[in-house]
Amino acid sequence: MTRTLTRELASKIGQTVTINGWLHKKRLMGGLNFITLRDRSGVAQTLIEDKDEIEKLRGLHIGTVLALTGTVVADDRAPGGAELHDVKVVVEVSVTDEPLIEVDKPISHKSEHLETLFDTRVLNIRNLQEQKIFKIRADLTYYIREFLRGQEFVEIDTPKLLAEATEGGSEVFKLDYFGKTATLAQSPQFFKQIMVGAYERVFEIGHSYRAEPSATTRHLTELTMLDIEMGFVEGHDEVLDMVGSMTQYVLKRVYEEHADDLKSLNAPELKLPEDGKVPRFTIAQIHEMYTKATKTDTTQEKDLIPDEERWISDYARKQLGTDLVYAVRFPIEAGKFYHKLDVEDGTVLWGDLLLRGLEVATVPLRENNYEKMLEQMKKAGLDVEHEGFKYYLQAFKYGLPKHGGCGFGVDRLVQKTIGLANVKEACLFPRDINRLTP
RNA sequence: GGGCUCGUAGUGUAGUGGUUAUCACGCCUCCCUGUCACGGAGGAGAUCACCGGUUCAAGUCCGGCCGGGCCCGCCA
């Protein structure tokens, strides 16, 4: 018999159907037994009164793969308003091992239980509540693509195995590459800028690798980044506006499409700026406001300290009614060689996008002049003749327009959208300084 | 890398230096015809992370070690 999905039951009242899926819950009450079956569309309840049929499930645990054939009956007492009666049970894959966790119960996300959460990932991902997180994640990246393609951005796919030299910044993983040293890409920085020379507007959703020994709630060693680069921009504001619009679009979409799931996951209410423009504060302004408000002097810091990120986000949410806020114009000494500098102002044209207290994206304008690039690279102590830089520099030599973009942490976006405490909870199989499995 | 903190049945937990280490869920057996975190009765399941020390006596105190977590630095 053709397979019926559990979500289709309500529309097949009176028919005899077969549903295939996993045993999700047994509620045995003597003569009246409820067996819940899970498939990709959800769960359905079946009622089994025949002792011989229920006996087939003796000793079999949650996860057992079943084919259940029966008559669809409408009943208000059944979840979803319909259930199967007079069920014939066929066991397709037996599970005889005692379950490690209770798949049908809430899975703890407390920080002290994260080790158990990831050690039992293979099973807890069968929990319906847990699955919501990753469906939301899947759709977030879908909405990102939807927005960017609508703006004529071309999706690209660039290598993660690189020659030794990279843009600097965070630590890179090194590995043996047939006797040579290769590194894992910490971002697609060089490639996306090179591709501006072809398509003007490009983006990539891919993995990046950071060898920083950071053990915090916001760091991963393998992370998913959305990298965007846009050519022929007038200035930094245009880049900030584009990334701001995209983020608002994506958040609005996910809050529309997943309203019930977000609510059940205790996601905060979404607050976006009424005029559609993400408010911006300079780093200097934030230092000043924070120092005044908390009596902790941060005016000598080059970046925001984590508590300032939380403070300015809190301020933006309460005073300006927005979950998104930009911190812009970093001090010039924080800049990297590929950043566009405003020497007169002593700042870098670089903004951090904060979502609910956490930096989710860096949004800089790039230096696009070949001679200035060489100058800034030499100043940074980099070998401009190195193989790893040669091809990157060719792009500038042969003409790159003024451009800017962002590196956007997808894991952090998922985390803060849902309101998860740790970025790892937004990952199916997170990689951090001490986890390589599962 | 620095600071703080936590390791007790499969899971989550209680545990003032002093009998047989608490409770809940899960698991096993039995009962149960409308459950939906079903309910009831009974049962099994823990070298209290590991190593050493103090003590008549250590899950508990001390030292070491291993493994987590949180914060900072750095970053998405």
Side-chain angles (χ1 to χ4, degrees), chain A residues 224-425:
Chain A
T224 303
M225 289 235 296
L226 160 66
D227 274 273
I228 306 177
E229 208 62 35
M230 176 162 74
F232 292 100
V233 293
E234 278 185 29
H236 193 210
D237 277 336
E238 191 180 344
V239 186
L240 293 171
D241 286 341
M242 187 276 293
V243 175
S245 303
M246 179 202 70
T247 311
Q248 291 177 79
Y249 173 84
V250 164
L251 288 172
K252 262 187 217 158
R253 283 281 273 142
V254 78
Y255 266 77
E256 281 163 14
E257 298 293 330
H258 292 273
D260 293 343
D261 288 350
L262 284 165
K263 203 172 176 187
S264 77
L265 289 163
N266 293 317
E269 187 198 342
L270 180 63
K271 289 192 174 184
L272 294 177
E274 273 176 25
D275 61 358
K277 196 174 160 77
V278 177
R280 353 192 133 159
F281 295 91
T282 66
I283 300 292
Q285 279 175 327
I286 296 170
H287 284 330
E288 203 174 302
M289 292 161 73
Y290 179 82
T291 300
K292 214 173 193 176
T294 65
K295 311 281 184 246
T296 307
D297 189 0
T298 56
T299 51
Q300 300 308 307
E301 301 280 342
K302 63 172 187 174
D303 196 350
L304 298 180
I305 62 169
D307 197 49
E308 282 180 299
E309 292 182 352
R310 291 185 284 266
W311 185 88
I312 190 66
S313 280
D314 194 50
Y315 176 87
R317 186 171 167 95
K318 283 180 181 154
Q319 304 299 320
L320 309 170
T322 168
D323 286 328
L324 290 168
V325 61
Y326 269 123
V328 299
R329 290 199 174 250
F330 282 75
I332 210 154
E333 55 272 23
K336 304 207 180 97
F337 67 85
Y338 49 80
H339 283 140
K340 187 80 155 185
L341 309 177
D342 184 341
V343 182
E344 275 180 34
D345 190 44
T347 54
V348 192
L349 294 172
W350 162 16
D352 274 356
L353 180 63
L354 305 174
L355 170 61
R356 294 174 178 161
L358 183 67
E359 175 189 337
V360 290
T362 57
V363 191
L365 195 67
R366 317 292 180 188
E367 180 53 65
N368 65 307
N369 179 282
Y370 177 62
E371 301 299 333
K372 274 193 181 163
M373 273 294 285
L374 286 180
E375 195 185 305
Q376 289 184 183
M377 284 178 79
K378 284 175 189 159
K379 217 171 171 182
L382 296 170
D383 176 11
V384 296
E385 306 294 329
H386 194 287
E387 275 280 296
F389 295 123
K390 181 177 153 190
Y391 300 98
Y392 177 54
L393 288 169
Q394 278 179 356
F396 291 80
K397 201 173 185 177
Y398 294 101
L400 278 189
K402 189 185 261 190
H403 63 286
C406 73
F408 204 122
V410 172
D411 313 281
R412 287 184 179 185
L413 174 65
V414 177
Q415 178 203 349
K416 296 312 282 189
T417 298
I418 298 173
L420 300 168
N422 192 313
V423 69
K424 290 163 206 161
E425 299 168 60

Side-chain angles (χ1 to χ4, degrees), chain A residues 190-226:
Chain A
F190 290 2
F191 294 108
K192 64 177 176 176
Q193 288 188 257
I194 289 168
M195 289 310 292
V196 167
Y199 294 129
E200 296 185 21
R201 299 178 169 203
V202 294
F203 75 100
E204 171 166 6
I205 297 175
H207 285 191
S208 289
Y209 302 86
R210 306 279 167 95
E212 300 283 351
S214 302
T216 78
T217 53
R218 56 189 186 282
H219 287 91
L220 297 162
T221 49
E222 179 168 18
L223 54 134
T224 303
M225 289 235 296
L226 160 66

Side-chain angles (χ1 to χ4, degrees), chain A residues 161-204:
Chain A
L161 283 168
L162 304 178
E164 213 169 341
T166 55
E167 74 260 27
S170 60
E171 287 294 315
V172 294
F173 286 106
K174 292 188 177 179
L175 57 98
D176 176 66
Y177 194 76
F178 306 110
K180 291 181 190 167
T181 302
T183 62
L184 288 178
Q186 56 168 305
S187 85
Q189 180 69 34
F190 290 2
F191 294 108
K192 64 177 176 176
Q193 288 188 257
I194 289 168
M195 289 310 292
V196 167
Y199 294 129
E200 296 185 21
R201 299 178 169 203
V202 294
F203 75 100
E204 171 166 6

